[in-house]
Amino acid sequence: MKKLDPQQTDMATVLYEAYLKGQTIPKEQIPASLEKRTAYAIQHAVTANKTSRGQEELKGYKISLTSRETQELFQSETPLYGALTTSALSDGIIELDSMSSPLIEIELIFIAKEDLSAADDIPTLLKKTRVAPGIEVPDSRFDDWFPKITLGQVVADSAVAGRIVTGLPLDNVSYEQLEKLPGKLTFDGQEIAADTSAEVLDHPVNALQWLVNELDGHGLTVKKGMAISSGTFILPKKLERGFYEASYGELGSVTLTVN
């Protein structure tokens, strides 16, 4: 992994302290021109700060910018990843005041039944994982962030990882079951967004394969038990107080209550 210079170490500390305090920082505190590999090194340092003190564990990864539309928002030609630590895993109830400027997305969650490898092809990745209906709540350590921060700032801020909610995981899910899978988001019983899994790099398992290969380039791996939030079916919506349900046809549904 890339070694940080003192200035970059200070950036990681600023982001970590903002996370600890639940406060946002001005965008100017992290350079807008931050190069992606350096931004990942800062992200990794923030994750190390979270996990080295024994209070949190690395629980998985989230994948962002898996559609052409979201990539264009941040001028990227590829997806991004961010780390999910213990505090990112929600039981399906969120206090809105505990978040900064959260959004809501619907996406599938892959759960690794064993370690994943860059040598794994798509059928192998499906055999090694279970698939669950999910909800992601992106949030940022930056003020007024969406879509007003740069690619480097997004990466450094763990791809704006907030919370994920995971429904019942299913085993032996086939490639065909996940292909063009319909997803629907309702808010207090009213549909507010819908699209299919084709928005996620044409197929969600493509996003999983991208992540495994990208992590390998950073000397990282998906370990047994980790959760992978694979990318949104829809453009993000602002999170509000109320009751949300994300439904995925035969894969089931998952709910989120925001107080």
Side-chain angles (χ1 to χ4, degrees), residues 139-150:
D139 201 11
S140 179
R141 273 40 66 183
F142 290 104
D143 295 333
D144 189 27
W145 68 274
F146 183 78
K148 301 176 183 178
I149 55 177
T150 65

Side-chain angles (χ1 to χ4, degrees), residues 32 34 36 39 65 74-76 78 80 149-156:
L34 200 62
K36 188 159 70 171
L65 309 193
F74 292 97
Q75 301 179 349
S76 178
T78 66
L80 307 174
I149 55 177
T150 65
L151 186 68
Q153 289 168 331
V154 172
V155 172

Side-chain angles (χ1 to χ4, degrees), residues 84-103:
L84 299 173
T85 55
T86 308
S87 61
L89 307 186
S90 169
D91 61 0
I93 300 174
I94 289 177
E95 300 295 327
L96 190 61
D97 290 344
S98 71
M99 311 291 286
S100 298
S101 6
L103 305 176

Side-chain angles (χ1 to χ4, degrees), residues 86-148:
T86 308
S87 61
L89 307 186
S90 169
D91 61 0
I93 300 174
I94 289 177
E95 300 295 327
L96 190 61
D97 290 344
S98 71
M99 311 291 286
S100 298
S101 6
L103 305 176
I104 185 167
E105 300 172 338
I106 60 172
E107 40 197 276
L108 299 176
I109 312 291
F110 289 91
I111 311 292
K113 296 190 289 185
E114 52 188 289
D115 294 356
L116 306 185
S117 163
D120 294 336
D121 60 14
I122 281 176
T124 303
L125 289 172
L126 286 171
K127 286 179 184 177
K128 286 185 170 185
T129 55
R130 293 182 292 162
V131 186
I135 289 172
E136 186 189 349
V137 177
D139 201 11
S140 179
R141 273 40 66 183
F142 290 104
D143 295 333
D144 189 27
W145 68 274
F146 183 78
K148 301 176 183 178

Side-chain angles (χ1 to χ4, degrees), residues 213-227:
N213 290 330
E214 184 73 11
L215 289 175
D216 185 69
H218 292 278
L220 301 169
T221 56
V222 175
K223 301 290 188 183
K224 179 180 178 180
M226 285 186 174

Side-chain angles (χ1 to χ4, degrees), residues 54-258:
Q55 296 176 329
E56 296 205 52
E57 296 178 19
L58 179 61
K59 293 293 189 179
Y61 294 93
K62 60 157 291 184
I63 310 171
S64 291
L65 309 193
T66 50
S67 70
R68 175 48 55 189
E69 197 168 7
T70 54
Q71 288 176 11
E72 287 174 353
L73 281 175
F74 292 97
Q75 301 179 349
S76 178
E77 296 181 356
T78 66
L80 307 174
Y81 72 80
L84 299 173
T85 55
T86 308
S87 61
L89 307 186
S90 169
D91 61 0
I93 300 174
I94 289 177
E95 300 295 327
L96 190 61
D97 290 344
S98 71
M99 311 291 286
S100 298
S101 6
L103 305 176
I104 185 167
E105 300 172 338
I106 60 172
E107 40 197 276
L108 299 176
I109 312 291
F110 289 91
I111 311 292
K113 296 190 289 185
E114 52 188 289
D115 294 356
L116 306 185
S117 163
D120 294 336
D121 60 14
I122 281 176
T124 303
L125 289 172
L126 286 171
K127 286 179 184 177
K128 286 185 170 185
T129 55
R130 293 182 292 162
V131 186
I135 289 172
E136 186 189 349
V137 177
D139 201 11
S140 179
R141 273 40 66 183
F142 290 104
D143 295 333
D144 189 27
W145 68 274
F146 183 78
K148 301 176 183 178
I149 55 177
T150 65
L151 186 68
Q153 289 168 331
V154 172
V155 172
D157 192 24
S158 205
V160 293
R163 310 279 175 80
I164 63 166
V165 186
T166 303
L168 180 66
L170 301 180
D171 226 333
N172 302 313
V173 177
S174 70
Y175 184 91
E176 290 73 23
Q177 284 177 286
L178 298 181
E179 191 170 24
K180 295 182 181 176
L181 180 74
K184 179 176 71 173
L185 180 65
T186 63
F187 177 60
D188 290 340
Q190 298 295 313
E191 182 178 318
I192 59 171
D195 214 322
T196 76
S197 59
E199 287 297 305
V200 186
L201 290 187
D202 296 326
H203 193 292
V205 77
N206 292 337
L208 178 62
Q209 187 176 50
W210 172 86
L211 174 71
V212 172
N213 290 330
E214 184 73 11
L215 289 175
D216 185 69
H218 292 278
L220 301 169
T221 56
V222 175
K223 301 290 188 183
K224 179 180 178 180
M226 285 186 174
I228 306 302
S229 189
S230 61
T232 183
F233 287 32
I234 61 171
L235 278 177
K237 303 289 183 184
K238 182 180 178 181
L239 191 73
E240 300 180 42
R241 289 183 173 87
F243 180 78
Y244 292 91
E245 182 172 18
S247 305
Y248 300 91
E250 64 183 289
L251 260 68
S253 63
V254 62
T255 63
L256 170 64
T257 299
V258 183

